[in-house]
Amino acid sequence: MLRSLVAAVLSFLAMTPVIAGGLDPAAINDAAMPAKPTGSDKPSSSIVKLQILLDRAHFSPGEIDGKLGENAQKALSAFAEANELNLDKTITPDLWDKLTATSDGPAIVDYKITEADVKGPFLMKLPAKMEDMKSLEALSYTSPREALAEKFHMSEALLNAINPGKKFDMAGETIAVANVIGQQNAMPVARVEIDKARQTLKAFDASGKLLAFYPATVGSSEKPTPSGTLKVTAINRNPTYRYNPDYRFKGVKSKRPFTIKPGPNNPVGSTWINLSAEGYGIHGTPDPGKVSKSASHGCIRLTNWDALTLSANIKRGTPVVFLDRPGEAIAPAQSRPLARSSRT
């Protein structure tokens, strides 16, 4: 009888997937307040939950990857600032309670992959050079897994980790995903503020209340963003990228203009928010994991989903203020020529 019991237990264990680091949906949904807001290379259930809560509260940690990196820490700090709460070496119960109260529902939910998710078309490989993109019919995702990860604001590594043995290219397959779809409320954004030094974008209402926060890649030393105040002049979804050889981007040898078709892996992602200075805009990116970690061509780069959310909550005429230094006084936009950058 004992031998039969042992055999039954071993059989059950063999059918039960082993999740590295305890990153199974139940562990994430049941996770308690993280003990310390410190970074780690190892994903944890409590940080996955923290990032999802921040995302749903409009304080984006960027790509949800289960690690409390720089972007997640900046988002947590901004949330504490907006709610007049302290954030020192530990996350306080008051801060955690305030965050969990911003939205309802579990952090992780089941999702059944649809025919549309796997239909494509998908790129065999995303070219590394812009010039090699111009002949493509669309800058699509490279796989259903990439598309699903972006749809739920997750890194592909985290999507894999909480779905061991799952096939992302099979319609009807049920997978575990971050519960972020339809979780955010509309925001009355009256002003956008971009901090060049901190690589952040903040959205405020008419009274000056901080409504939303996004990590951003803001220009570069080679092609800095402008100073002062610009305005939103247009919002384009699924933009076409137009390269002007006068930009002289590093690594681009073409001396003739060319265009790159729309798609989430377009150089400006799936959303372009045009600003009132030629060649400047706020846009998405084909590489969400590098937001605020690599230079842009002078524009303001967000994850595709953050750019889409921001575009849905602003309108033409919304002022966009650029801060050269944290806490500086807001000045009018400069009249001098501006550095060139990417545009649609």
Side-chain angles (χ1 to χ4, degrees), residues 184-204:
Q184 295 180 330
N185 298 320
M187 300 179 293
V189 176
R191 186 180 93 254
V192 171
E193 184 178 281
I194 295 166
D195 192 317
K196 299 181 186 181
R198 291 174 176 163
Q199 299 276 291
T200 63
L201 185 153
K202 293 180 178 179
F204 299 85

PDB file of all heavy atoms in Angstrom, residues 184-204:
ATOM      1  N   GLN A 184      -7.428  50.386 -16.555  1.00  0.00           N
ATOM      2  CA  GLN A 184      -7.093  51.791 -16.329  1.00  0.00           C
ATOM      3  C   GLN A 184      -8.256  52.702 -16.679  1.00  0.00           C
ATOM      4  O   GLN A 184      -8.945  52.503 -17.681  1.00  0.00           O
ATOM      5  CB  GLN A 184      -5.855  52.177 -17.141  1.00  0.00           C
ATOM      6  CG  GLN A 184      -4.587  51.443 -16.720  1.00  0.00           C
ATOM      7  CD  GLN A 184      -3.389  51.863 -17.549  1.00  0.00           C
ATOM      8  OE1 GLN A 184      -3.506  52.235 -18.700  1.00  0.00           O
ATOM      9  NE2 GLN A 184      -2.218  51.803 -16.943  1.00  0.00           N
ATOM     10  N   ASN A 185      -8.459  53.725 -15.852  1.00  0.00           N
ATOM     11  CA  ASN A 185      -9.507  54.710 -16.089  1.00  0.00           C
ATOM     12  C   ASN A 185      -8.983  55.843 -16.964  1.00  0.00           C
ATOM     13  O   ASN A 185      -7.773  56.072 -17.062  1.00  0.00           O
ATOM     14  CB  ASN A 185      -9.999  55.292 -14.760  1.00  0.00           C
ATOM     15  CG  ASN A 185     -10.610  54.233 -13.859  1.00  0.00           C
ATOM     16  OD1 ASN A 185     -11.320  53.347 -14.338  1.00  0.00           O
ATOM     17  ND2 ASN A 185     -10.333  54.308 -12.566  1.00  0.00           N
ATOM     18  N   ALA A 186      -9.895  56.578 -17.592  1.00  0.00           N
ATOM     19  CA  ALA A 186      -9.517  57.744 -18.383  1.00  0.00           C
ATOM     20  C   ALA A 186      -8.951  58.822 -17.473  1.00  0.00           C
ATOM     21  O   ALA A 186      -9.315  58.914 -16.292  1.00  0.00           O
ATOM     22  CB  ALA A 186     -10.724  58.270 -19.147  1.00  0.00           C
ATOM     23  N   MET A 187      -8.054  59.640 -18.009  1.00  0.00           N
ATOM     24  CA  MET A 187      -7.401  60.686 -17.218  1.00  0.00           C
ATOM     25  C   MET A 187      -7.589  62.045 -17.895  1.00  0.00           C
ATOM     26  O   MET A 187      -7.403  62.160 -19.108  1.00  0.00           O
ATOM     27  CB  MET A 187      -5.902  60.416 -17.091  1.00  0.00           C
ATOM     28  CG  MET A 187      -5.531  59.125 -16.425  1.00  0.00           C
ATOM     29  SD  MET A 187      -3.710  58.941 -16.368  1.00  0.00           S
ATOM     30  CE  MET A 187      -3.327  58.748 -18.120  1.00  0.00           C
ATOM     31  N   PRO A 188      -7.908  63.089 -17.110  1.00  0.00           N
ATOM     32  CA  PRO A 188      -8.038  64.434 -17.683  1.00  0.00           C
ATOM     33  C   PRO A 188      -6.667  65.127 -17.744  1.00  0.00           C
ATOM     34  O   PRO A 188      -6.380  66.077 -17.000  1.00  0.00           O
ATOM     35  CB  PRO A 188      -8.969  65.132 -16.690  1.00  0.00           C
ATOM     36  CG  PRO A 188      -8.658  64.484 -15.374  1.00  0.00           C
ATOM     37  CD  PRO A 188      -8.329  63.048 -15.694  1.00  0.00           C
ATOM     38  N   VAL A 189      -5.808  64.681 -18.644  1.00  0.00           N
ATOM     39  CA  VAL A 189      -4.451  65.221 -18.725  1.00  0.00           C
ATOM     40  C   VAL A 189      -4.476  66.633 -19.311  1.00  0.00           C
ATOM     41  O   VAL A 189      -5.008  66.861 -20.405  1.00  0.00           O
ATOM     42  CB  VAL A 189      -3.534  64.319 -19.578  1.00  0.00           C
ATOM     43  CG1 VAL A 189      -2.156  64.946 -19.738  1.00  0.00           C
ATOM     44  CG2 VAL A 189      -3.420  62.938 -18.944  1.00  0.00           C
ATOM     45  N   ALA A 190      -3.893  67.574 -18.578  1.00  0.00           N
ATOM     46  CA  ALA A 190      -3.841  68.971 -19.021  1.00  0.00           C
ATOM     47  C   ALA A 190      -2.423  69.420 -19.337  1.00  0.00           C
ATOM     48  O   ALA A 190      -2.232  70.421 -20.039  1.00  0.00           O
ATOM     49  CB  ALA A 190      -4.431  69.885 -17.941  1.00  0.00           C
ATOM     50  N   ARG A 191      -1.435  68.692 -18.834  1.00  0.00           N
ATOM     51  CA  ARG A 191      -0.033  69.070 -19.067  1.00  0.00           C
ATOM     52  C   ARG A 191       0.858  67.849 -18.956  1.00  0.00           C
ATOM     53  O   ARG A 191       0.620  66.972 -18.115  1.00  0.00           O
ATOM     54  CB  ARG A 191       0.431  70.115 -18.047  1.00  0.00           C
ATOM     55  CG  ARG A 191       1.833  70.659 -18.306  1.00  0.00           C
ATOM     56  CD  ARG A 191       2.255  71.696 -17.270  1.00  0.00           C
ATOM     57  NE  ARG A 191       3.000  71.112 -16.157  1.00  0.00           N
ATOM     58  CZ  ARG A 191       2.524  70.933 -14.937  1.00  0.00           C
ATOM     59  NH1 ARG A 191       1.282  71.287 -14.651  1.00  0.00           N
ATOM     60  NH2 ARG A 191       3.269  70.407 -13.984  1.00  0.00           N
ATOM     61  N   VAL A 192       1.855  67.774 -19.822  1.00  0.00           N
ATOM     62  CA  VAL A 192       2.852  66.706 -19.777  1.00  0.00           C
ATOM     63  C   VAL A 192       4.191  67.322 -19.442  1.00  0.00           C
ATOM     64  O   VAL A 192       4.539  68.399 -19.938  1.00  0.00           O
ATOM     65  CB  VAL A 192       2.925  65.965 -21.135  1.00  0.00           C
ATOM     66  CG1 VAL A 192       4.109  65.005 -21.166  1.00  0.00           C
ATOM     67  CG2 VAL A 192       1.627  65.215 -21.402  1.00  0.00           C
ATOM     68  N   GLU A 193       4.941  66.661 -18.587  1.00  0.00           N
ATOM     69  CA  GLU A 193       6.246  67.169 -18.158  1.00  0.00           C
ATOM     70  C   GLU A 193       7.302  66.095 -18.391  1.00  0.00           C
ATOM     71  O   GLU A 193       7.155  64.960 -17.946  1.00  0.00           O
ATOM     72  CB  GLU A 193       6.184  67.544 -16.673  1.00  0.00           C
ATOM     73  CG  GLU A 193       7.447  68.174 -16.135  1.00  0.00           C
ATOM     74  CD  GLU A 193       7.286  68.572 -14.669  1.00  0.00           C
ATOM     75  OE1 GLU A 193       6.657  69.630 -14.420  1.00  0.00           O
ATOM     76  OE2 GLU A 193       7.750  67.821 -13.797  1.00  0.00           O
ATOM     77  N   ILE A 194       8.365  66.447 -19.103  1.00  0.00           N
ATOM     78  CA  ILE A 194       9.433  65.502 -19.432  1.00  0.00           C
ATOM     79  C   ILE A 194      10.724  65.939 -18.762  1.00  0.00           C
ATOM     80  O   ILE A 194      11.218  67.037 -19.000  1.00  0.00           O
ATOM     81  CB  ILE A 194       9.620  65.406 -20.956  1.00  0.00           C
ATOM     82  CG1 ILE A 194       8.354  64.818 -21.592  1.00  0.00           C
ATOM     83  CG2 ILE A 194      10.833  64.549 -21.301  1.00  0.00           C
ATOM     84  CD1 ILE A 194       8.273  64.968 -23.071  1.00  0.00           C
ATOM     85  N   ASP A 195      11.229  65.079 -17.911  1.00  0.00           N
ATOM     86  CA  ASP A 195      12.456  65.345 -17.153  1.00  0.00           C
ATOM     87  C   ASP A 195      13.619  64.682 -17.885  1.00  0.00           C
ATOM     88  O   ASP A 195      13.738  63.458 -17.913  1.00  0.00           O
ATOM     89  CB  ASP A 195      12.318  64.794 -15.729  1.00  0.00           C
ATOM     90  CG  ASP A 195      13.418  65.276 -14.806  1.00  0.00           C
ATOM     91  OD1 ASP A 195      14.589  65.294 -15.232  1.00  0.00           O
ATOM     92  OD2 ASP A 195      13.126  65.616 -13.644  1.00  0.00           O
ATOM     93  N   LYS A 196      14.482  65.491 -18.479  1.00  0.00           N
ATOM     94  CA  LYS A 196      15.600  64.952 -19.254  1.00  0.00           C
ATOM     95  C   LYS A 196      16.595  64.195 -18.385  1.00  0.00           C
ATOM     96  O   LYS A 196      17.117  63.150 -18.778  1.00  0.00           O
ATOM     97  CB  LYS A 196      16.328  66.084 -19.981  1.00  0.00           C
ATOM     98  CG  LYS A 196      15.481  66.853 -20.961  1.00  0.00           C
ATOM     99  CD  LYS A 196      16.343  67.924 -21.626  1.00  0.00           C
ATOM    100  CE  LYS A 196      15.521  68.828 -22.500  1.00  0.00           C
ATOM    101  NZ  LYS A 196      16.365  69.862 -23.156  1.00  0.00           N
ATOM    102  N   ALA A 197      16.897  64.738 -17.214  1.00  0.00           N
ATOM    103  CA  ALA A 197      17.901  64.125 -16.342  1.00  0.00           C
ATOM    104  C   ALA A 197      17.426  62.800 -15.780  1.00  0.00           C
ATOM    105  O   ALA A 197      18.174  61.820 -15.735  1.00  0.00           O
ATOM    106  CB  ALA A 197      18.271  65.088 -15.216  1.00  0.00           C
ATOM    107  N   ARG A 198      16.165  62.753 -15.345  1.00  0.00           N
ATOM    108  CA  ARG A 198      15.640  61.543 -14.718  1.00  0.00           C
ATOM    109  C   ARG A 198      15.064  60.543 -15.729  1.00  0.00           C
ATOM    110  O   ARG A 198      14.697  59.438 -15.362  1.00  0.00           O
ATOM    111  CB  ARG A 198      14.560  61.927 -13.697  1.00  0.00           C
ATOM    112  CG  ARG A 198      15.139  62.651 -12.480  1.00  0.00           C
ATOM    113  CD  ARG A 198      14.040  63.136 -11.559  1.00  0.00           C
ATOM    114  NE  ARG A 198      14.584  63.751 -10.352  1.00  0.00           N
ATOM    115  CZ  ARG A 198      13.895  64.532  -9.529  1.00  0.00           C
ATOM    116  NH1 ARG A 198      12.624  64.799  -9.797  1.00  0.00           N
ATOM    117  NH2 ARG A 198      14.459  65.057  -8.448  1.00  0.00           N
ATOM    118  N   GLN A 199      14.954  60.960 -16.994  1.00  0.00           N
ATOM    119  CA  GLN A 199      14.416  60.082 -18.043  1.00  0.00           C
ATOM    120  C   GLN A 199      12.999  59.615 -17.676  1.00  0.00           C
ATOM    121  O   GLN A 199      12.696  58.420 -17.613  1.00  0.00           O
ATOM    122  CB  GLN A 199      15.336  58.874 -18.250  1.00  0.00           C
ATOM    123  CG  GLN A 199      16.748  59.228 -18.699  1.00  0.00           C
ATOM    124  CD  GLN A 199      16.847  59.433 -20.201  1.00  0.00           C
ATOM    125  OE1 GLN A 199      16.721  58.504 -20.962  1.00  0.00           O
ATOM    126  NE2 GLN A 199      17.059  60.672 -20.612  1.00  0.00           N
ATOM    127  N   THR A 200      12.133  60.599 -17.443  1.00  0.00           N
ATOM    128  CA  THR A 200      10.758  60.292 -17.048  1.00  0.00           C
ATOM    129  C   THR A 200       9.781  61.207 -17.769  1.00  0.00           C
ATOM    130  O   THR A 200      10.139  62.309 -18.213  1.00  0.00           O
ATOM    131  CB  THR A 200      10.551  60.462 -15.529  1.00  0.00           C
ATOM    132  OG1 THR A 200      10.772  61.835 -15.158  1.00  0.00           O
ATOM    133  CG2 THR A 200      11.502  59.573 -14.746  1.00  0.00           C
ATOM    134  N   LEU A 201       8.529  60.769 -17.833  1.00  0.00           N
ATOM    135  CA  LEU A 201       7.434  61.583 -18.345  1.00  0.00           C
ATOM    136  C   LEU A 201       6.303  61.520 -17.322  1.00  0.00           C
ATOM    137  O   LEU A 201       5.922  60.439 -16.881  1.00  0.00           O
ATOM    138  CB  LEU A 201       6.962  61.056 -19.698  1.00  0.00           C
ATOM    139  CG  LEU A 201       5.881  61.862 -20.436  1.00  0.00           C
ATOM    140  CD1 LEU A 201       5.996  61.650 -21.950  1.00  0.00           C
ATOM    141  CD2 LEU A 201       4.465  61.481 -19.978  1.00  0.00           C
ATOM    142  N   LYS A 202       5.782  62.700 -16.958  1.00  0.00           N
ATOM    143  CA  LYS A 202       4.678  62.779 -16.012  1.00  0.00           C
ATOM    144  C   LYS A 202       3.517  63.512 -16.655  1.00  0.00           C
ATOM    145  O   LYS A 202       3.706  64.438 -17.448  1.00  0.00           O
ATOM    146  CB  LYS A 202       5.104  63.504 -14.731  1.00  0.00           C
ATOM    147  CG  LYS A 202       6.136  62.752 -13.901  1.00  0.00           C
ATOM    148  CD  LYS A 202       6.511  63.536 -12.653  1.00  0.00           C
ATOM    149  CE  LYS A 202       7.497  62.776 -11.783  1.00  0.00           C
ATOM    150  NZ  LYS A 202       7.894  63.547 -10.571  1.00  0.00           N
ATOM    151  N   ALA A 203       2.298  63.101 -16.304  1.00  0.00           N
ATOM    152  CA  ALA A 203       1.083  63.736 -16.796  1.00  0.00           C
ATOM    153  C   ALA A 203       0.316  64.312 -15.614  1.00  0.00           C
ATOM    154  O   ALA A 203       0.133  63.638 -14.592  1.00  0.00           O
ATOM    155  CB  ALA A 203       0.223  62.733 -17.546  1.00  0.00           C
ATOM    156  N   PHE A 204      -0.144  65.567 -15.753  1.00  0.00           N
ATOM    157  CA  PHE A 204      -0.833  66.279 -14.680  1.00  0.00           C
ATOM    158  C   PHE A 204      -2.207  66.743 -15.147  1.00  0.00           C
ATOM    159  O   PHE A 204      -2.430  66.964 -16.345  1.00  0.00           O
ATOM    160  CB  PHE A 204      -0.032  67.518 -14.256  1.00  0.00           C
ATOM    161  CG  PHE A 204       1.345  67.222 -13.728  1.00  0.00           C
ATOM    162  CD1 PHE A 204       2.419  67.081 -14.597  1.00  0.00           C
ATOM    163  CD2 PHE A 204       1.574  67.094 -12.364  1.00  0.00           C
ATOM    164  CE1 PHE A 204       3.696  66.816 -14.116  1.00  0.00           C
ATOM    165  CE2 PHE A 204       2.840  66.827 -11.875  1.00  0.00           C
ATOM    166  CZ  PHE A 204       3.904  66.685 -12.748  1.00  0.00           C
TER     167      PHE A 204
END
